[in-house]
Amino acid sequence: MSAAIKYISKEEIILLSNVKSLAHRMKLEYANDFSSINTPQRVSIFRENPYGVFNAMSAFSDRCNLFITKMGTVIPQNDPSVHAVVLAFSSQTGKPLAILDGDAITHLKCAAITALVTDLCALPEAKVLALIGSGIQAREQIRGVGAVRQLEQIRIFSRDGNRVRSFIEENSQLCDSAEFVSCASANEAIANAEVISTATTSFEPVISAEALDGKFVHINCMGNHTPHSRELPIRILQQSSLIVEDIPTAILEAGEIHRDAITIEKLVKQTPSKLQQQRTVFASTGHAFLDLITVGYVLAALKEPQ
């Protein structure tokens, strides 16, 4: 009988998490030749009433010696609303390597790609982060931006003021150098920010385009999106340099406006100083290659064979 497949838990992944180190690994992987990478579009099964979705995202990298598939459900009316696992196989032997907690992989991936993109797009001296949202993804934005910028203030707005207070109590240790400030509105939160992260479930814009007129800031847009709506007004997208993980995925899931966006692959080869003198938006829709890099990072940290 074959040995049981190793399960790598949320707790193990959290202990291994070094956001800055993983962001550096992502940068190296994206700077390499992509001819040995295969990331088909995700497959989704939708249920209408009550609404729910099952997603499967696969990726292959010969360089990383990995096949992976992340599978998960999104049931918005439940708390938590997302559950996922990742299956990892050796691309050399075909043997299963591990089953990993998919939520923890996703959270670590989001923090690291936020760190990578923010480091390339935000002003080096940026010290103020505006955070719209008070959920798990908002926490990962603190981890990501805080890994690459010496933050002095984190300004937070959420529609539920009580959640903001709890969020600050639970997460202030993630950035000891920063003062955490609860704001009465999203526009108040972004007033003096050099980096903005939106991480909500809203299908309506959470900030106004007018509030950013004439401002060169970097925005990480990490929350809900459809081809017709997302957390940012369309005018902000039209007047900014857009960055996405993958153009076909971004067009399919978030609309045609992303057709001329800069991919991560191209971003890592650009001169950061040029991007830092304009308004940039990282319109994240997710990509399985980032999950694969994160899985490879965790397996290497555990000294698991690949």
Side-chain angles (χ1 to χ4, degrees):
M1 182 181 294
S2 60
I5 302 174
K6 181 177 179 62
Y7 177 72
I8 302 176
S9 68
K10 171 184 175 181
E11 290 72 23
E12 289 176 282
I13 293 168
I14 290 172
L15 284 174
L16 296 167
S17 296
N18 184 313
V19 172
K20 193 169 185 177
S21 174
L22 176 55
H24 180 67
R25 177 163 178 165
M26 287 177 174
K27 185 175 183 179
L28 294 177
E29 289 293 340
Y30 273 95
N32 273 314
D33 176 36
F34 259 51
S35 61
S36 66
I37 308 300
N38 190 337
T39 52
Q41 291 293 314
R42 78 180 72 185
V43 176
S44 299
I45 300 172
F46 294 93
R47 182 187 66 191
E48 292 300 329
N49 190 20
Y51 177 82
V53 60
F54 174 80
N55 293 314
M57 301 168 60
S58 298
F60 159 68
S61 169
D62 191 36
R63 188 167 57 247
C64 297
N65 188 27
L66 280 174
F67 293 115
I68 69 113
T69 293
K70 184 169 77 173
M71 299 180 292
T73 55
V74 181
I75 313 293
Q77 59 271 25
N78 288 356
D79 185 17
S81 60
V82 179
H83 298 277
V85 295
V86 182
L87 306 180
F89 294 78
S90 166
S91 63
Q92 281 193 343
T93 67
K95 292 182 178 179
L97 299 173
I99 300 172
L100 303 94
D101 183 286
D103 294 346
I105 289 294
T106 299
H107 298 156
L108 176 56
K109 170 199 73 173
C110 288
I113 192 60
T114 293
L116 172 57
V117 175
T118 301
D119 199 30
L120 294 173
C121 294
L123 289 168
E125 63 273 17
K127 293 179 172 59
V128 180
L129 167 66
L131 187 58
I132 314 301
S134 56
I136 293 173
Q137 184 54 244
R139 179 195 68 195
E140 300 310 316
Q141 290 303 294
I142 295 175
R143 294 177 68 203
V145 178
V148 294
R149 291 295 181 269
Q150 188 67 31
L151 295 174
E152 293 182 356
Q153 190 175 78
I154 299 174
R155 303 172 61 79
I156 306 171
F157 170 74
S158 177
R159 286 172 293 184
D160 186 339
N162 290 326
R163 286 194 64 178
V164 172
R165 287 187 285 274
S166 299
F167 179 86
I168 292 173
E169 290 174 5
E170 294 167 6
N171 296 288
S172 58
Q173 79 284 355
L174 293 176
C175 192
D176 292 335
S177 63
E179 172 195 18
F180 283 68
V181 178
S182 176
C183 296
S185 70
N187 286 345
E188 178 187 331
I190 69 175
N192 300 310
E194 295 134 324
V195 181
I196 299 169
S197 289
T198 58
T200 75
T201 58
S202 176
F203 286 108
E204 300 294 329
V206 294
I207 59 178
S208 70
E210 293 76 15
L212 290 181
D213 280 347
K215 294 183 179 179
F216 294 157
V217 297
H218 172 64
I219 305 171
N220 296 306
C221 184
M222 309 298 288
N224 272 348
H225 52 265
T226 75
H228 310 291
S229 64
R230 65 181 311 129
E231 299 169 305
L232 297 182
I234 191 71
R235 183 152 72 87
I236 289 180
L237 299 182
Q238 291 170 334
Q239 297 176 352
S240 304
S241 292
L242 295 182
I243 297 140
V244 298
E245 297 100 335
D246 176 68
I247 287 177
T249 302
I251 291 172
L252 179 66
E253 299 189 13
E256 280 288 331
I257 195 170
H258 299 85
R259 183 169 294 280
D260 296 322
I262 304 166
T263 62
I264 305 295
E265 182 184 2
K266 292 181 179 179
L267 178 70
V268 300
K269 298 169 185 174
Q270 294 200 12
T271 304
S273 58
K274 293 181 180 179
L275 290 166
Q276 291 163 359
Q277 298 303 317
Q278 55 189 289
R279 188 165 68 206
T280 48
V281 174
F282 175 36
S284 178
T285 51
H287 197 234
F289 184 48
L290 288 168
D291 293 292
L292 185 147
I293 297 169
T294 305
V295 168
Y297 171 86
V298 170
L299 293 177
L302 286 170
K303 297 183 169 53
E304 294 291 329
Q306 291 174 237

